[in-house]
Structures are given as structure tokens and as C-alpha cells.
Amino acid sequence: FTIKTKRNEYSAKTVIISTGRKPREMGIPGEQSCKSKGVTYCATCDAPLFEGKDVVVVGGGHSGLNAVLQLVNIANKIYLVEDMDNLIADERMVEKAKASGKVEIFTSAKPKKVCGDGKFVTSFTIEHEGQDKELKVGGVFVEIGYVATEKPVVEGLDRNEWKEIVVNEK
């Protein structure tokens, strides 16, 4: 491969492009205005800020259940919201969350809206079983995956539906 930059030209047998990633957002009303006011994308970083509060975790995969299990010892109550019919996380994680007595699970539930009072999140609305349901919470943990960060360095390369660079075994 030959890589041309503004300063020089480089040759290499292998090129590793590390543009990074960012959390996938829900794209619902209130998400942007409540960022850093109760909407967070990192349970590891922010869970201690929600001690004793009711919270919602969006995402029923490994990341979502990992967040739930971190919050079990911190939060008062945890609502787990997944838009698919079932949770796809490891069954042991799911059983541990259920056994905590603090987790209420909503599958086939669509996130609809985050509400706040201008300072903090106050509720999270989901559509479940054909009806809107408002969950009174002080925090929303979004754990629905990541998207590749777009950088000019990847212009002209084939990308998949998630904007990741398409590679092969070579």
C-alpha cells in the first residue's frame, strides 16, 4: 500500500485505520437536550452519579445487561428496555439481573421520548403493547451499540451499512 499525506508518502504491507467509534444514539425527542443531564452512554463512567435513583437502560444485549449489573448495587430500580422480542445477552447475565429483584424488563418496547425539567431527566416514555408507558426515572443509560466515527481519511473506501470499512481476509 502507498499512503499519501500532506507531508509525505509512505509504503507498507499493512494499513490499520483506527478512526474510532461513538455510541449509537436513540434518535428520539429529548435525547439531545438531556445529554449530560441524565442521558448517558457509559454505565462504567456514570453509574455512581445515579445512586438511589430509578433509571432505565436501553438495550438488551451484552452491553445493556452489563450496565444493568453495574447499576444493581447503585440504583434503586432499573427498567431494562429492549425493542426486540427477547434479550440477546448471555442467559447468565439475564438471570442475575432478574434475581436482583430490582430489574423490570420490557421487551418489544420502543423508546419514544426523554423528558426533563431543564436540569435533569424526569421520565422516559416507551411504547409497549400498543400503548405509551411513562417511566419516572432520573437517568437513561443508552447501551445500543456503536457507530464508526467518520473521518476524511476513509473517503473512497467501501463501507457497510454501519459505515465500517469493508475488509477481507487479506
Side-chain angles (χ1 to χ4, degrees):
F1 295 96
T2 301
I3 306 295
K4 294 179 184 177
T5 69
K6 291 179 182 177
R7 295 185 185 155
N8 211 338
E9 188 171 296
Y10 304 92
S11 294
K13 288 183 181 181
T14 304
V15 175
I16 298 173
I17 301 174
S18 301
T19 60
R21 64 185 187 165
K22 62 181 180 177
R24 182 176 317 239
E25 297 180 353
M26 298 177 291
I28 61 173
E31 180 177 17
Q32 296 301 316
S33 61
C34 289
K35 273 186 184 177
S36 300
K37 296 177 182 175
V39 172
T40 180
Y41 303 85
C42 181
T44 302
C45 309
D46 297 330
L49 302 173
F50 296 87
E51 185 173 3
K53 295 186 180 200
D54 293 352
V55 298
V56 64
V57 173
V58 180
H62 181 77
S63 296
L65 267 292
N66 187 44
V68 166
L69 295 177
Q70 289 180 59
L71 286 158
V72 161
N73 295 321
I74 298 169
N76 180 53
K77 180 174 180 86
I78 304 151
Y79 298 100
L80 177 59
V81 175
E82 171 56 50
D83 64 354
M84 294 193 297
D85 295 339
N86 56 352
L87 304 178
I88 59 172
D90 180 87
E91 189 59 35
R92 290 174 295 203
M93 295 175 82
V94 174
E95 290 307 317
K96 197 171 183 180
K98 288 178 179 178
S100 74
K102 288 185 159 189
V103 181
E104 185 174 348
I105 299 172
F106 293 95
T107 55
S108 301
K110 180 182 176 190
K112 298 265 308 235
K113 178 173 59 171
V114 180
C115 290
D117 60 9
K119 295 179 183 177
F120 299 106
V121 166
T122 56
S123 69
F124 186 79
T125 303
I126 60 173
E127 183 181 318
H128 186 248
E129 298 178 346
Q131 297 193 4
D132 285 356
K133 180 170 181 64
E134 184 180 29
L135 307 172
K136 298 288 187 185
V137 295
V140 178
F141 291 82
V142 183
E143 299 287 348
I144 55 175
Y146 294 87
V147 293
T149 304
E150 293 187 54
K151 301 279 184 174
V153 72
V154 298
E155 286 179 8
L157 298 175
D158 291 334
R159 293 197 263 167
N160 64 20
E161 63 187 291
W162 301 287
K163 299 184 180 179
E164 299 165 330
I165 299 167
V166 177
V167 298
N168 61 29
E169 68 282 356
K170 295 180 183 177

